[in-house]
Amino acid sequence: MSKVVYEGWMVRYGRRKIGRSFIHMRYFVLETRLLAYYKRKPQDNQVPIKTLLIDGNCRVEDRGLKTHHGHMVYVLSVYNKKEKYHRITMAAFNIQEALIWKEKIESVIDQHQEAQIGNGNKYVSFEYKSGMDNGRNASSSDHESQFSAQEDEDDANPNLLRRTTIGNGPPESILDWTREFDSELSNQNANNQAFSRKHWRLLQCQNGLRIFEELVEVDYLPRSCSRAMKAVGVVEATCEEIFGLVVSMDGTRFEWDCSFQYGSLVEEVDGHTAILYHRLQLDWFPVFVWPRDLCYVRYWRRNDDGSYVVLFRSREHENCGPQPGYVRAHVESGGFNISPLKSRNGKPRTQVQHLMQIDLKGWGVGYMSSFQQHCLLQMLNSVAGLREWFAQTDERGATPRIPVMVNMASSSVSSKKTEKIDELAAPAASSLDQINHASRNSVMMDEYSDEDEEQMPEAEQEAYPTKSDNDVKRTALEEEPVEKIDLSCFSGNLRHDDRDNARDCWKISDGNNFRVRSKHFCYDKTKIPAGKHLMDLVAVDWFKDTKRMDHVARRQGCAAQVASEKGLFSLVFNLQVPGSTHYSMVFYFVTRELVPGSLLHRFVEGDDEFRNSRLKLIPSVPKGSWIVRQSVGSTPCLLGKAVDCNYIRGPKYLEVDVDIGSSTVANGVLGLVIGVITTLVVDMAFLVQANTTDELPERLIGAVRVSHIELSSAIVPKLESDPS
C-alpha cells in the first residue's frame, strides 16, 4: 500500500520550449517511490502534471541559490542518471525546506538500493563528493565532468557514503580560513599567505563578543597585509535563519549590521558563488576620510554537521570599477562560520564567527593605525547585531534578497566593451518583463539557462492556464502604449524636478518602490514590485483657499481640460487638507484610452460603492523623522473606506476628491505631517485593488514623489462656478 513520504507547496522551476521564463507554485508529493507535482493540492484520482519514479539510479542535485530582481530561492534538481533529461527541478523559499526535500528523496533512494542489494542486485549509495579529490577543491566549471566520471565508477566504490554537504569547493582564489591547515599544506601555501591560521589571541571582550587577533609568525608583515581579526558570539537562532540573514543585502541588514550602507549583485557565477558590490558605513571622521567600498567574490556551503561557511575575498570585475567619491578597500580574507550548538531551555543556539582581514587603503591607513582597527571592530560588531536582532524579533525565515546591480563599469573599460555589455543586457531586461511571478515570499526568478534544464512537453504546456487572445491584447495595451503622449503641453503650479536633492517639487516615483498583489495572490498571498504605471503623471497643482476646493478639474487651463481637448482621458486625485487655510494637492494622470473591460475601466465607469471598495493608496516616507515614518507607515489603504471620497465624472475625466479631514485618525497624522512638511519626502501610489484571479496582478495607476513642500508656494485657484 502506498504512503505519502512528504508533500507541500514548492515552485515548479523551468522554462517553456519557446524560451519564456515562468514560475508557478506547484503542489509536490513524494509517495512511496513516486515524485509528482500538481497544479494544486491533489484530490482523489487526480492526474499529476509530471512524475518521476525514484530508484537507485536517481540523484538529487543541488543547484544552490538563484536570484532574480535580488530575490533568492534554493533550487534542487531530481533526475535519473541513466536518463539525465528526465528530471524535475524544484525551488524552495528557504534552505530548511530544500534540505527536508533533499533528505526525504535521498532516503527513498537509499531504501530502494538496500532492497535491491538484498535481492542480489548491486546498487551503491553514493553521491559526488565535490572538491576532495586530487588534493584540491573542485571549481564550478569542472563539476559536471567530474560528476559524470564518478557516476561510472559507482559500482567500483561500494563503501562510499552519501555526503550531505551542499556546495562545491570554494574558488581557488578564496582561502577557506574555517579549515585547519596541516604543516605540509601550510608550506605549500607559504608564498600566498603571510601567516598561519592556527594561532589567535584574545584581544578584548566587547558587546558580549570575544574579539581575537591573529598572532603573526613572520619576521616582517607588509603594511598592506593587515592582521586578521575575528569576533565570536552565540546567537539564539538556527543556522539556517542566521545564514539567510547573512547572505541578504536588503533593508533588514540595516537593523543588525552597522557597517552596511549599500550592497548589490554584480554577477551570479553559480548557485554557491557570486560577485558582490558593497559600500561600507564607517563613522571614523567622515569629514576628512573618504568612504570605502568593496567588490568581492562570495562563496557559501553547508557542511555535514549542519554548519554554514560563507567566505569573502576581493576581486576586480569589469562591471564594477572604482566609483567616484569612494576608496576601493581590499578584503584579503573574510566571512562567517555558522555552527550549531546544543539547545538550551528549548531554544536553538548557534556559534557565529566573523573574520575579516582587510586593507582599507588610502593615505590614512599608514599614518593612523587606530583607523584600521576602529573600522574593523565596527564590522565585526555585526555578530552582536545578529544576536540582538533575533532576540528582539519574531520575524524568522525571511527570503534573502540582494538588489541587482546597475552597470557600474569604470572609465577604464573601453566604450566598445560597455556597448557590448549593454547589448547583452537589453534583451535580458526585455525578457524579465515577461516573467510570471508567484511565491509565498515575493520571489521572482531568472530564466534558467543551463543546457540540460528540462524542456516542458507540449502536453504539459497545455496543462498550464493560458490567456485568451483578448487578455493578451489587453495586457499589451496596458503595458505598452501605441505612442507616447507629448507631455510638454501640460503644466501645474508645482515644479517638476527629477534631481534627488531638489526641494518644493515633484517627480514620478519608480513603480518598483511599491509592492502589489501578484498573479497568484489568491493562492499564496504574495506581492511583487509594481513595475510600469498604467497612466502618465503629467502635472501637479498645489492650491490653498479659505474653503475646501472641490471639483478642481473644471478649472480652465488645468491639465485635465488640456487633455480633454486633445482627446485624452484623465484621472484626477484631489487630496484635500483641512485647516484654517485649506490646501489641495492635485495629481493629473493621463492616458490615451481606457482598455474596455479592464479593471481600471470598470472603476471609472462603476458606481461609488464599487469605487470606494477598490481605490487604494500606498504611502511611504523615504525621508523624514522616525515618528512621521512610523505614523504614516507603508501599509496600503482603501481610501473610500478610510476617508470620504467624492467622485466627479466629466466627459473625459474622473476626479476623486479625497477629504483627509473626514477621518479622526487621518486628521491626527496629517496634523503631525503638516508641521514638518518641508523636511519630508513622500511617495504615493494610486491603484485599483484586484480581488480575483482575472483581475490580478495589480497595476499602479501611477505614483508620485513630492519633496520638501513649502506651504507658501501654494496658490489660490480661479475656479469656475460648479454647474452641478
Side-chain angles (χ1 to χ4, degrees):
M1 183 176 180
S2 65
K3 66 173 183 176
V4 174
V5 179
Y6 197 65
E7 62 181 336
W9 288 100
M10 294 279 281
V11 174
R12 162 69 175 84
Y13 182 53
R15 64 182 180 183
R16 297 182 188 273
K17 283 188 175 181
I18 57 175
R20 287 186 58 178
S21 301
F22 71 101
I23 174 171
H24 288 290
M25 289 292 295
R26 289 290 177 256
Y27 198 83
F28 283 78
V29 177
L30 178 59
E31 188 173 6
T32 308
R33 289 177 49 206
L34 194 68
L35 177 63
Y37 68 89
Y38 303 80
K39 289 168 60 177
R40 56 187 61 87
K41 189 169 183 178
Q43 306 298 323
D44 293 339
N45 301 322
Q46 184 173 340
V47 178
I49 296 175
K50 188 173 183 179
T51 61
L52 178 66
L53 185 65
I54 305 297
D55 61 20
N57 290 317
C58 287
R59 295 291 182 267
V60 185
E61 183 181 2
D62 159 51
R63 295 269 178 113
L65 286 169
K66 297 297 173 183
T67 64
H68 178 63
H69 286 199
H71 299 273
M72 294 186 283
V73 291
Y74 302 86
V75 181
L76 298 174
S77 182
V78 187
Y79 67 96
N80 190 307
K81 72 176 187 178
K82 302 299 184 183
E83 303 176 46
K84 281 193 174 182
Y85 292 101
H86 187 204
R87 66 173 64 217
I88 289 180
T89 308
M90 59 211 303
F93 300 98
N94 56 67
I95 200 165
Q96 297 101 312
E97 189 75 8
L99 290 173
I100 292 174
W101 275 101
K102 189 172 189 290
E103 177 185 343
K104 296 294 184 182
I105 297 172
E106 287 178 343
S107 69
V108 174
I109 296 173
D110 291 341
Q111 290 172 11
H112 184 263
Q113 289 175 344
E114 291 170 1
Q116 292 296 326
I117 292 174
N119 293 331
N121 294 329
K122 191 174 182 182
Y123 277 102
V124 184
S125 176
F126 173 72
E127 184 173 295
Y128 172 70
K129 185 174 178 179
S130 64
M132 301 301 293
D133 54 338
N134 300 329
R136 69 177 180 87
N137 288 328
S139 67
S140 58
S141 60
D142 54 26
H143 176 114
E144 287 298 331
S145 59
Q146 293 183 12
F147 187 88
S148 300
Q150 286 292 158
E151 286 175 347
D152 296 335
E153 298 171 6
D154 276 0
D155 292 339
N157 294 278
N159 297 319
L160 290 175
L161 300 177
R162 182 186 306 284
R163 285 178 56 86
T164 57
T165 298
I166 291 183
N168 301 323
E172 293 181 1
S173 62
I174 296 184
L175 174 70
D176 189 348
W177 55 269
T178 63
R179 298 183 184 275
E180 292 292 336
F181 289 81
D182 56 32
S183 58
E184 181 182 354
L185 188 57
S186 297
N187 292 334
Q188 291 175 359
N189 291 336
N191 295 330
N192 297 328
Q193 304 299 328
F195 50 86
S196 168
R197 294 289 175 179
K198 291 183 178 180
H199 305 296
W200 298 88
R201 73 178 180 90
L202 182 65
L203 183 66
Q204 61 178 296
C205 291
Q206 174 181 306
N207 292 335
L209 307 177
R210 291 183 298 154
I211 308 295
F212 291 87
E213 184 180 53
E214 170 210 1
L215 286 177
V216 181
E217 296 181 346
V218 294
D219 296 330
Y220 172 72
L221 186 69
R223 177 182 297 173
S224 62
C225 189
S226 60
R227 291 174 184 264
M229 295 178 69
K230 71 176 179 179
V232 181
V234 175
V235 180
E236 288 191 346
T238 65
C239 293
E240 286 75 19
E241 290 171 339
I242 297 171
F243 171 74
L245 212 57
V246 164
V247 297
S248 66
M249 283 192 174
D250 57 4
T252 307
R253 198 176 185 105
F254 291 110
E255 300 178 25
W256 61 269
D257 187 355
C258 60
S259 66
F260 176 76
Q261 184 187 76
Y262 171 77
S264 60
L265 177 68
V266 180
E267 180 186 345
E268 187 178 81
V269 180
D270 58 38
H272 294 270
T273 309
I275 299 172
L276 306 176
Y277 175 70
H278 190 149
R279 287 180 180 172
L280 299 174
Q281 180 69 46
L282 305 176
D283 57 2
W284 201 86
F285 292 105
V287 176
F288 304 102
V289 179
W290 277 26
R292 263 56 177 176
D293 66 357
L294 301 165
C295 181
Y296 60 93
V297 57
R298 185 196 69 194
Y299 160 83
W300 72 273
R301 72 168 183 270
R302 183 183 186 274
N303 292 326
D304 297 346
D305 60 357
S307 64
Y308 289 80
V309 172
V310 184
L311 303 176
F312 307 146
R313 190 171 189 184
S314 284
R315 65 161 293 176
E316 297 179 355
H317 194 278
E318 62 181 2
N319 290 346
C320 188
Q323 301 303 301
Y326 287 85
V327 174
R328 180 61 53 87
H330 178 82
V331 177
E332 179 64 27
S333 181
F336 291 85
N337 189 12
I338 305 167
S339 306
L341 299 174
K342 290 183 178 180
S343 60
R344 182 177 295 172
N345 298 326
K347 295 182 179 179
R349 297 167 65 243
T350 301
Q351 184 191 75
V352 179
Q353 297 184 51
H354 182 19
L355 178 141
M356 287 297 290
Q357 183 190 10
I358 187 171
D359 181 4
L360 291 171
K361 302 291 186 180
W363 62 270
V365 176
Y367 297 98
M368 294 173 286
S369 58
S370 59
F371 168 62
Q372 180 97 1
Q373 187 171 18
H374 171 87
C375 297
L376 196 49
L377 288 173
Q378 184 177 341
M379 287 184 272
L380 296 178
N381 207 38
S382 63
V383 178
L386 283 168
R387 182 190 65 221
E388 296 304 312
W389 191 90
F390 281 105
Q392 299 175 25
T393 183
D394 293 327
E395 182 182 345
R396 302 294 177 97
T399 305
R401 186 178 187 278
I402 302 179
V404 175
M405 186 177 191
V406 179
N407 192 352
M408 300 175 66
S410 64
S411 56
S412 61
V413 180
S414 66
S415 59
K416 184 176 180 179
K417 184 178 289 186
T418 304
E419 289 175 4
K420 184 178 180 180
I421 294 170
D422 291 340
E423 288 173 3
L424 292 173
S430 175
S431 66
L432 294 180
D433 293 335
Q434 302 173 352
I435 294 176
N436 296 313
H437 306 283
S439 82
R440 57 187 162 198
N441 284 312
S442 308
V443 177
M444 294 174 293
M445 300 165 56
D446 284 327
E447 175 176 347
Y448 201 73
S449 57
D450 282 4
E451 290 182 0
D452 63 347
E453 178 56 52
E454 70 183 275
Q455 303 295 318
M456 180 179 289
E458 294 294 337
E460 188 174 336
Q461 292 185 29
E462 294 174 1
Y464 286 89
T466 56
K467 292 184 177 180
S468 66
D469 293 340
N470 290 335
D471 291 335
V472 173
K473 292 177 182 178
R474 179 184 307 166
T475 303
L477 284 171
E478 288 179 347
E479 293 185 356
E480 297 295 337
V482 178
E483 57 180 299
K484 291 185 176 180
I485 298 172
D486 181 13
L487 306 182
S488 60
C489 57
F490 300 100
S491 64
N493 73 292
L494 189 65
R495 183 169 54 91
H496 180 203
D497 195 326
D498 287 327
R499 294 177 299 172
D500 289 336
N501 59 349
R503 301 182 63 85
D504 198 25
C505 61
W506 68 273
K507 70 174 184 178
I508 296 173
S509 183
D510 186 355
N512 289 325
N513 293 335
F514 305 91
R515 304 189 70 77
V516 298
R517 296 179 174 186
S518 71
K519 180 67 176 175
H520 301 268
F521 181 84
C522 294
Y523 304 107
D524 51 35
K525 304 300 180 185
T526 56
K527 293 190 176 183
I528 59 174
K532 191 173 181 180
H533 308 161
L534 292 174
M535 302 181 74
D536 294 312
L537 178 61
V538 297
V540 178
D541 280 326
W542 181 220
F543 294 146
K544 66 179 179 182
D545 206 340
T546 56
K547 60 183 182 299
R548 194 178 72 185
M549 292 155 281
D550 297 326
H551 196 182
V552 293
R554 71 180 187 272
R555 186 176 62 92
Q556 289 296 322
C558 75
Q561 296 291 336
V562 173
S564 181
E565 294 171 1
K566 294 182 174 292
L568 306 176
F569 181 83
S570 303
L571 194 50
V572 182
F573 293 99
N574 176 15
L575 302 188
Q576 300 169 327
V577 182
S580 56
T581 300
H582 291 258
Y583 291 90
S584 276
M585 183 162 284
V586 188
F587 306 103
Y588 301 90
F589 295 94
V590 172
T591 186
R592 289 197 173 275
E593 61 179 351
L594 297 175
V595 179
S598 67
L599 182 58
L600 182 58
H601 180 264
R602 288 162 51 205
F603 171 80
V604 170
E605 302 297 341
D607 57 23
D608 287 357
E609 182 179 356
F610 178 78
R611 293 165 176 164
N612 284 333
S613 67
R614 295 300 189 96
L615 179 59
K616 186 187 290 185
L617 170 70
I618 307 177
S620 176
V621 182
K623 186 180 294 185
S625 66
W626 176 85
I627 190 170
V628 171
R629 295 202 306 271
Q630 292 296 312
S631 300
V632 174
S634 58
T635 304
C637 169
L638 286 173
L639 282 177
K641 295 187 176 181
V643 296
D644 292 340
C645 294
N646 185 33
Y647 303 91
I648 301 103
R649 181 70 164 93
K652 293 291 288 184
Y653 66 83
L654 173 67
E655 178 176 333
V656 184
D657 291 342
V658 183
D659 182 9
I660 300 175
S662 60
S663 166
T664 305
V665 175
N667 209 16
V669 174
L670 186 62
L672 180 66
V673 169
I674 205 72
V676 291
I677 192 171
T678 57
T679 67
L680 302 180
V681 175
V682 180
D683 283 348
M684 289 176 282
F686 300 91
L687 66 155
V688 182
Q689 179 169 290
N691 290 340
T692 66
T693 54
D694 292 338
E695 298 170 346
L696 292 167
E698 288 182 333
R699 298 287 305 279
L700 295 184
I701 295 170
V704 62
R705 170 170 291 186
V706 290
S707 304
H708 307 290
I709 298 300
E710 299 285 348
L711 295 177
S712 58
S713 65
I715 65 171
V716 179
K718 295 180 180 179
L719 297 176
E720 304 288 336
S721 58
D722 193 343
S724 60

